[in-house]
Amino acid sequence: MIFQELTLENFNSYKGRHTLNLQPTNSSEGTRPIILIGGLNGGGKTSLMDAIRLALYGQRAQIDRRKKNQSYSDFLSQCVCSHAPADASATIELTFQHVIRLSNIDKLAEIRVQRTWNRKGKEKLQVFLDGWADRTLTETWDERVESWLPLGLSNLFLFDGEQIKDLTQQDTPPPSVTTAIRAVLGLELPDRLANHLEILINQKQRELARGEDRQQLDAIAQRLTQHQTDLEAEAQRLKALQEELNIAETHLREAQLQFEAEGGTLAESAPELDRQLQTLCTEAEHQRQNLRHLAADCLPLAIVQPLLQQAQQQGHLELRRQQAQAASDLIAERDQRLLDLIQTLKLNRTQTQKIQAFLQQETQRLIEASSADSWLDADPETLDTLAHALTHQIPSQLHLTHTHLTHLTHLTTSIEALILKLQAAPSPEDYDRLRSHRDQAQLHHDECLYKLEQSHRQSLKLRQAIEATKADLKRYTDQYIQQQDNDDFLKAASRAQQTLQAFRSRLTLQKLNDLEASITNYFRCLLHKSHLVHRIIVDQQSFSLTLYDTAGQPIPKHRLSAGEKQLLAIAFLWALASVSNRHLPIAIDTPLSRLDSSHRRNLIDQYFPQASHQMILLSTDTEIGCEEVEGLRSKGAIAREYLLQYNSTNQQTKIIPGYFPFKA
């Protein structure tokens, strides 16, 4: 299968008609499989992927943006471009080439599937074969596309970064991938054959039975039929209960959101908030009391700290004057004795005059220093007290005051926030209404859950009853009927059952071996640490992966980095697509998220050019950037490039040739 063209008309943000040529190119220089489509987040990339899925599968398409329990018509109505005229319709067309058999001859045909719908969601499907409308193909489209690209396998070929993320976060593959794996392994066919063979054996046994044996067989068969009918009815009931549970979960989620949005949670926690408020108020009052104690001490002196420093200087000055006055008489007597001594030393006249002048100058300076008025009259003890206050007490109390004020500010902010929360809480009447609404939703949800669990148990009982009845049937047949009649058909059928079971086991083993080898090879090819993994084993029941190192020891998945887990998931999908032996296009939305540069390079060099004959990549400018796109261009791997330009003003997307214009 090769996608040729995708056309969108009034689909989501694509107003008007837009066409993408998706054909890869083949030339003498080699194959160019990649169609590179660039677009920023919200620019319309996912709409292109949805359009491909929608064109192929219609209401069966697995589209993440379709809400649970949303009807198909509502979803289609939602997909009509909101800026298109009121009477406009939306259209998606996917044209592809595929080999089909017509009149026992295989031929390469061009198929165009077109879906058109209006704002009421009424859809019209039309399929064209080689340009002509084909009624048969249109009426049997679901069966035809299921034979070409089964829905269960589509997730191996059409996937996005979210699917990769889901696959990396789960120990066992999700149901969509598990279904694809069963289809790849070919397990559905032997299972169907086994069921059909069992029906034939039952019919033959009834034909061979006589009289009382037939009555006994009929009774067992009726019991088996009744159990099977009950199981089918229970399956329908289970499906209805699951849908009811989904709706109940939605209602419960909405009720919880409404409860929280209208302050129900605040009202619920009001007693605790009141207790916290009282605690904070008590603490705040304690801090205020500490501040009052500081204010009653010497803290106010901090206001006049510069004046106190001046007073301290003045006190020391006056103290020195007092000391000078007290010592002036003693100094005068000492000076006179010095002069008398000088007279006895018989110094020359000049030297004597210099000493006398010096003594008179010092005496005059002492007189002037001690003659100023004293207005403070502070004693040394008072000055020591003042110095202690300026040096220790006032700085210490300032620091304590700052600490208490900071704490008090934080407490005040917290108190105001709590008061606002309490004020935002609904009134008791509104709180009762919100709680009642939420509790009813919770009760209904729990009832649905209980019924669903009961239904699961009933289904299990019916399955056990069916198996027991089948065992009764086989036992009765073995004991009575086959003893009476050695029918060749039953013997052959029994051998066919054994052969079919052996075939199924061998087929599973062989396919799993191929799958394990492919996953191991592809993962090692994508890793930059090729020695990390020696072998990967796939569990036959759960299809979970187990990695082993070169020493044969298992490697826990949590030891892998996020990027390595993503590469493992991609290798898993690559291997499944490869083992399926179906030559189908691959389309990937946001393929390189969470990968470092080394892993990106491996993916770009190894996976994109080789995984399929047609690789459609939907990327942002940060995933496949300048370096990556230049690498792909230099390898001649890109056939076509497109850029999705989204205009946030008119909320519309247009498609232009080329990729992001990276700066040199």
Side-chain angles (χ1 to χ4, degrees):
M1 179 184 289
I2 301 175
F3 291 155
Q4 299 288 302
E5 196 174 87
L6 177 64
T7 298
L8 314 176
E9 183 174 354
N10 296 327
F11 182 68
N12 289 337
S13 61
Y14 294 89
K15 182 183 177 183
R17 191 173 180 84
H18 305 264
T19 299
L20 281 164
N21 184 344
L22 302 178
Q23 296 182 57
T25 57
N26 287 303
S27 65
S28 57
E29 299 176 354
T31 303
R32 297 189 174 195
I34 296 178
I35 313 298
L36 181 59
I37 302 173
L40 299 177
N41 292 330
K45 298 190 301 301
T46 304
S47 291
L48 294 182
M49 185 69 89
D50 290 347
I52 294 175
R53 290 178 172 137
L54 204 56
L56 291 173
Y57 302 108
Q59 62 179 350
R60 298 188 301 140
Q62 297 173 346
I63 297 175
D64 292 338
R65 288 195 282 193
R66 182 178 174 184
K67 298 177 182 175
K68 284 184 178 179
N69 305 317
Q70 185 180 28
S71 68
Y72 183 54
S73 60
D74 287 346
F75 173 69
L76 290 181
S77 176
Q78 176 187 307
C79 290
V80 180
C81 179
S82 58
H83 297 281
D87 58 346
S89 59
T91 300
I92 52 175
E93 291 179 6
L94 180 64
T95 306
F96 58 91
Q97 289 182 335
H98 192 63
V99 176
I100 63 174
R101 175 168 285 261
L102 293 173
S103 303
N104 293 324
I105 299 175
D106 290 337
K107 64 163 288 188
L108 183 63
E110 183 179 274
I111 299 160
R112 177 159 59 95
V113 54
Q114 179 189 76
R115 294 182 188 271
T116 303
W117 65 91
N118 56 23
R119 291 191 184 277
K120 294 182 179 179
K122 186 176 181 180
E123 181 194 59
K124 178 183 178 183
L125 169 66
Q126 204 165 14
V127 183
F128 298 83
L129 179 62
D130 291 333
W132 297 90
D134 190 303
R135 184 177 176 181
T136 304
L137 204 51
T138 301
E139 293 178 348
T140 60
W141 175 248
D142 285 344
E143 292 76 14
R144 288 301 185 96
V145 74
E146 193 65 21
S147 65
W148 296 336
L149 176 53
L151 180 62
L153 286 180
S154 65
N155 285 321
L156 305 182
F157 297 90
L158 311 173
F159 57 93
D160 54 32
E162 286 302 313
Q163 285 177 264
I164 296 294
K165 181 181 175 183
D166 292 344
L167 202 54
T168 61
Q169 292 178 343
Q170 299 176 19
D171 291 332
T172 57
S176 58
V177 177
T178 302
T179 303
I181 295 172
R182 289 186 179 281
V184 167
L185 297 181
L187 300 181
E188 295 175 342
L189 180 59
D191 289 343
R192 282 203 302 270
L193 288 174
N195 289 333
H196 292 165
L197 189 57
E198 186 176 351
I199 293 172
L200 286 175
I201 290 173
N202 291 337
Q203 290 176 348
K204 188 65 178 177
Q205 288 171 344
R206 290 187 69 256
E207 292 173 2
L208 295 174
R210 310 188 197 92
E212 185 180 347
D213 293 336
R214 173 168 292 189
Q215 291 178 0
Q216 186 66 27
L217 267 178
D218 286 344
I220 297 175
Q222 286 178 2
R223 197 164 70 243
L224 181 61
T225 303
Q226 183 61 47
H227 288 326
Q228 290 172 336
T229 303
D230 291 345
L231 183 60
E232 290 177 4
E234 197 61 39
Q236 293 297 324
R237 182 169 175 266
L238 190 64
K239 184 179 179 182
L241 288 172
Q242 183 63 56
E243 292 176 355
E244 189 179 357
L245 177 62
N246 293 337
I247 296 173
E249 286 177 344
T250 302
H251 288 168
L252 177 58
R253 189 162 52 250
E254 291 173 352
Q256 182 63 33
L257 288 175
Q258 184 184 9
F259 183 80
E260 294 173 358
E262 297 186 18
T265 305
L266 292 175
E268 213 167 35
S269 57
E272 175 61 21
L273 294 178
D274 273 332
R275 189 189 62 76
Q276 294 178 13
L277 181 61
Q278 293 301 323
T279 303
L280 291 176
C281 288
T282 302
E283 179 63 17
E285 181 56 29
H286 178 67
Q287 295 300 323
R288 292 191 188 93
Q289 186 63 32
N290 288 336
L291 289 172
R292 282 194 287 270
H293 288 158
L294 288 170
D297 201 351
C298 62
L299 179 64
L301 294 178
I303 300 173
V304 294
Q305 192 170 5
L307 294 176
L308 293 176
Q309 291 170 343
Q310 292 178 11
Q312 185 186 27
Q313 293 174 359
Q314 179 65 26
H316 283 299
L317 184 61
E318 291 181 2
L319 185 61
R320 286 180 59 84
R321 287 175 188 164
Q322 293 173 5
Q323 292 171 344
Q325 286 175 355
S328 60
D329 294 338
L330 295 175
I331 292 173
E333 291 177 359
R334 185 203 61 187
D335 291 347
Q336 186 57 50
R337 288 197 299 274
L338 180 60
L339 289 173
D340 293 343
L341 178 61
I342 290 171
Q343 291 297 330
T344 60
L345 295 177
K346 296 180 180 179
L347 298 177
N348 60 39
R349 183 180 180 85
T350 303
Q351 290 174 329
T352 303
Q353 288 176 345
K354 283 183 178 179
I355 293 171
Q356 288 176 340
F358 172 76
L359 293 175
Q360 288 175 355
Q361 186 179 357
E362 288 297 311
T363 302
Q364 184 61 36
R365 185 180 298 168
L366 186 61
I367 293 171
E368 289 176 354
S370 59
S371 61
D373 296 334
S374 296
W375 49 269
L376 196 59
D377 288 334
D379 53 40
E381 186 178 353
T382 302
L383 289 177
D384 289 342
T385 304
L386 180 58
H388 181 71
L390 287 170
T391 307
H392 300 290
Q393 287 182 302
I394 293 176
S396 173
Q397 294 200 358
L398 281 173
H399 176 71
L400 284 174
T401 303
H402 177 72
T403 302
H404 291 312
L405 281 175
T406 302
H407 194 185
L408 183 60
T409 301
H410 290 161
L411 289 170
T412 303
T413 304
S414 300
I415 289 170
E416 291 174 352
L418 282 177
I419 291 174
L420 287 176
K421 282 185 179 179
L422 289 170
Q423 290 175 344
S427 65
E429 295 78 11
D430 289 338
Y431 171 66
D432 290 341
R433 175 182 56 79
L434 290 169
R435 187 180 61 178
S436 173
H437 181 53
R438 185 194 60 177
D439 290 348
Q440 287 178 4
Q442 181 68 56
L443 181 62
H444 181 57
H445 174 269
D446 293 345
E447 289 175 351
C448 291
L449 205 59
Y450 175 75
K451 290 179 182 176
L452 192 69
E453 178 62 25
Q454 293 294 104
S455 182
H456 276 300
R457 292 182 181 180
Q458 181 63 21
S459 297
L460 180 61
K461 286 181 180 177
L462 288 171
R463 287 193 188 91
Q464 292 172 343
I466 288 172
E467 293 303 319
T469 308
K470 285 181 178 178
D472 287 345
L473 187 61
K474 187 175 185 308
R475 188 166 52 252
Y476 183 82
T477 302
D478 293 343
Q479 291 177 358
Y480 298 100
I481 296 180
Q482 290 186 2
Q483 290 176 2
Q484 299 171 13
D485 214 321
N486 291 323
D487 186 82
D488 292 338
F489 174 82
L490 291 177
K491 292 179 181 177
S494 177
R495 288 196 298 271
Q497 280 184 316
Q498 296 173 4
T499 303
L500 196 57
Q501 182 62 35
F503 170 74
R504 188 184 187 282
S505 300
R506 288 192 177 186
L507 179 66
T508 303
L509 187 61
Q510 179 185 351
K511 289 282 187 177
L512 280 183
N513 285 337
D514 293 343
L515 183 61
E516 290 169 355
S518 296
I519 296 173
T520 304
N521 289 335
Y522 291 145
F523 188 43
R524 296 176 67 180
C525 176
L526 296 176
L527 279 176
H528 60 75
K529 295 184 288 186
S530 57
H531 60 281
L532 178 65
V533 174
H534 176 66
R535 189 181 178 190
I536 297 175
I537 300 295
V538 182
D539 185 86
Q540 293 189 21
Q541 301 300 323
S542 65
F543 301 119
S544 60
L545 303 183
T546 304
L547 286 65
Y548 292 90
D549 60 17
T550 53
Q553 297 299 314
I555 304 172
K557 283 186 70 175
H558 66 264
R559 279 180 50 193
L560 301 179
S561 68
E564 289 169 344
K565 288 178 183 175
Q566 183 170 344
L567 290 182
L568 178 60
I570 291 174
F572 192 20
L573 294 179
W574 189 3
L576 283 167
S578 175
V579 173
S580 73
N581 289 323
R582 294 174 185 258
H583 300 288
L584 296 167
I586 292 178
I588 313 175
D589 187 6
T590 59
L592 298 177
S593 60
R594 301 199 300 173
L595 290 181
D596 60 27
S597 58
S598 175
H599 288 146
R600 285 187 179 206
R601 191 162 51 250
N602 287 348
L603 203 65
I604 290 170
D605 291 344
Q606 306 296 334
Y607 179 64
F608 294 156
Q610 301 180 31
S612 172
H613 59 280
Q614 185 178 30
M615 173 70 71
I616 300 172
L617 298 177
L618 298 153
S619 172
T620 65
D621 57 343
T622 56
E623 289 190 289
I624 298 181
C626 180
E627 182 181 351
E628 290 82 7
V629 74
E630 288 300 331
L632 290 171
R633 286 169 181 163
S634 66
K635 294 176 185 297
I638 301 179
R640 305 177 196 284
E641 297 178 18
Y642 295 101
L643 181 62
L644 308 181
Q645 284 191 335
Y646 180 73
N647 187 327
S648 58
T649 304
N650 58 21
Q651 300 179 337
Q652 294 173 22
T653 300
K654 66 177 182 180
I655 304 171
I656 63 174
Y659 197 59
F660 291 104
F662 297 109
K663 294 180 181 178

